[in-house]
Amino acid sequence: MSGRRWVPLVLVVVTQVVGLVLVSTLVVGDAPHEAPVTIVAPAVVGQALADRADAAGTLDASTTQDRREGVDRLESGAATAVVVVDLATERDLVLVPGSQDPQLTAAVVAHVRALSASLGRTLDVEEVPPRASVLDRRVVDLAPLAAVAAGMLGVAALAWWRGPQARTAQDGVRRAAASVVLSAVVGLALAIAAATATATSGPWLGWWLVLGATTLAACAVTQALLSVLDVWGLALAVAVLLLTALPALAGTDPWQQPVAWRSVTSWLPHAAGLDAARAVAFRQGSGVATSLGVLVAWVAASFATSALARRERRRDEESSRSDDRGDGHVEHRRTR
């Protein structure tokens, strides 16, 4: 391939500097945004506290009268904290998961403490040990991003070697097969690395499935963008990854990101892979299934897009050749 064809990629990546500055300023932060908190208290008291917590916009409070239910929400990741109200005294208890991001925990506890203080109550904090051993959260967060980057780099290398677009159906199948093999290898390597680097390996087959699916989604999406937009597609893939992955790279928990940003990015492959990795690490089975569903949808849609783009290009090429032959016949008759 001509080096000039990669100029769009270089230009788009350079322009991301502005985007990175904006994202780091507007998205990366320490304050929670509608972080889920469960209040354990009698119905009337709990709802009154939930309404006051919701009014601030930093917490999304729900209520229950069963402490066990609150702890289950905490351990499953459905709540960032559980506030147990003790009406017999003026001291309440806030339970936080030991496996949660310390920055997020500190931010949530600070807002709960401010709420308690406004009511003239004090607050004790107790850490609930995770069901799994203590995990290195940075490994859990970075492994899916590494899977996405590996998938994009693999497709970029193939595009440099064989061209950005498949010319035939056979070539398209070979590229898809190469993506599957690459995803299996990268997923296995990252699963072993993540299991080794953390205090608990968890179900390593689950790690392999999640990281392999994340890599495959990245491969499929990047190839689809290349098929539709040529090299500009790879530039777009790099731009989206850089911008949307910045909060995770900066250590910002999803609950510390603005709601609108989190709502959009949660449907992207790298965010789905991140959610799935956390679900595997903390034994949240339903979270794994939901995130894998998002990844599978991206893979299916991307492979279909690549196939349709290849068919349309072939039709255009055949139509162009037909027009050229027609023009040649007309010129030949004029010459005679």
Side-chain angles (χ1 to χ4, degrees), residues 199-222:
T200 178
S201 63
W204 75 272
L205 285 176
W207 278 104
W208 188 10
L209 176 63
V210 165
L211 296 177
T214 303
T215 306
L216 182 58
C219 289
V221 170
T222 305

Side-chain angles (χ1 to χ4, degrees), residues 316-327:
D316 292 342
E317 291 172 357
E318 291 176 351
S319 177
S320 178
R321 287 196 296 267
S322 178
D323 292 342
D324 291 342
R325 286 196 298 269
D327 293 342

Side-chain angles (χ1 to χ4, degrees), residues 20 47 51 122 129 146 246 250 275-276:
L20 291 174
Q47 190 58 53
D51 292 340
T122 56
L246 181 62
D275 290 341

Side-chain angles (χ1 to χ4, degrees), residues 126-294:
E126 179 180 320
E127 185 177 285
V128 177
R131 288 177 176 170
S133 301
V134 177
L135 295 170
D136 183 346
R137 292 192 63 86
R138 292 302 291 164
V139 173
V140 176
D141 291 350
L142 291 177
L145 298 180
V148 172
M152 292 174 57
L153 288 174
V155 172
L158 182 61
W160 185 274
W161 177 42
R162 302 282 296 177
Q165 298 169 333
R167 296 300 178 184
T168 64
Q170 291 78 6
D171 189 17
V173 171
R174 284 195 293 268
R175 289 175 187 244
S179 295
V180 172
V181 173
L182 174 67
S183 300
V185 174
V186 169
L188 179 59
L190 289 176
I192 294 174
T196 303
T198 56
T200 178
S201 63
W204 75 272
L205 285 176
W207 278 104
W208 188 10
L209 176 63
V210 165
L211 296 177
T214 303
T215 306
L216 182 58
C219 289
V221 170
T222 305
Q223 187 58 60
L225 289 172
L226 278 169
S227 298
V228 176
L229 302 175
D230 205 283
V231 178
W232 283 102
L234 183 58
L236 178 61
V238 172
V240 170
L241 174 65
L242 286 175
L243 291 176
T244 58
L246 181 62
L249 291 172
T252 301
D253 190 273
W255 292 114
Q256 292 175 285
Q257 300 169 18
V259 177
W261 179 270
R262 186 173 67 240
S263 299
V264 173
T265 57
S266 63
W267 294 101
L268 296 177
H270 81 273
L274 177 58
D275 290 341
R278 288 175 173 173
V280 168
F282 298 106
R283 311 297 203 277
Q284 300 164 13
S286 59
V288 176
T290 301
S291 300
L292 284 178
V294 174

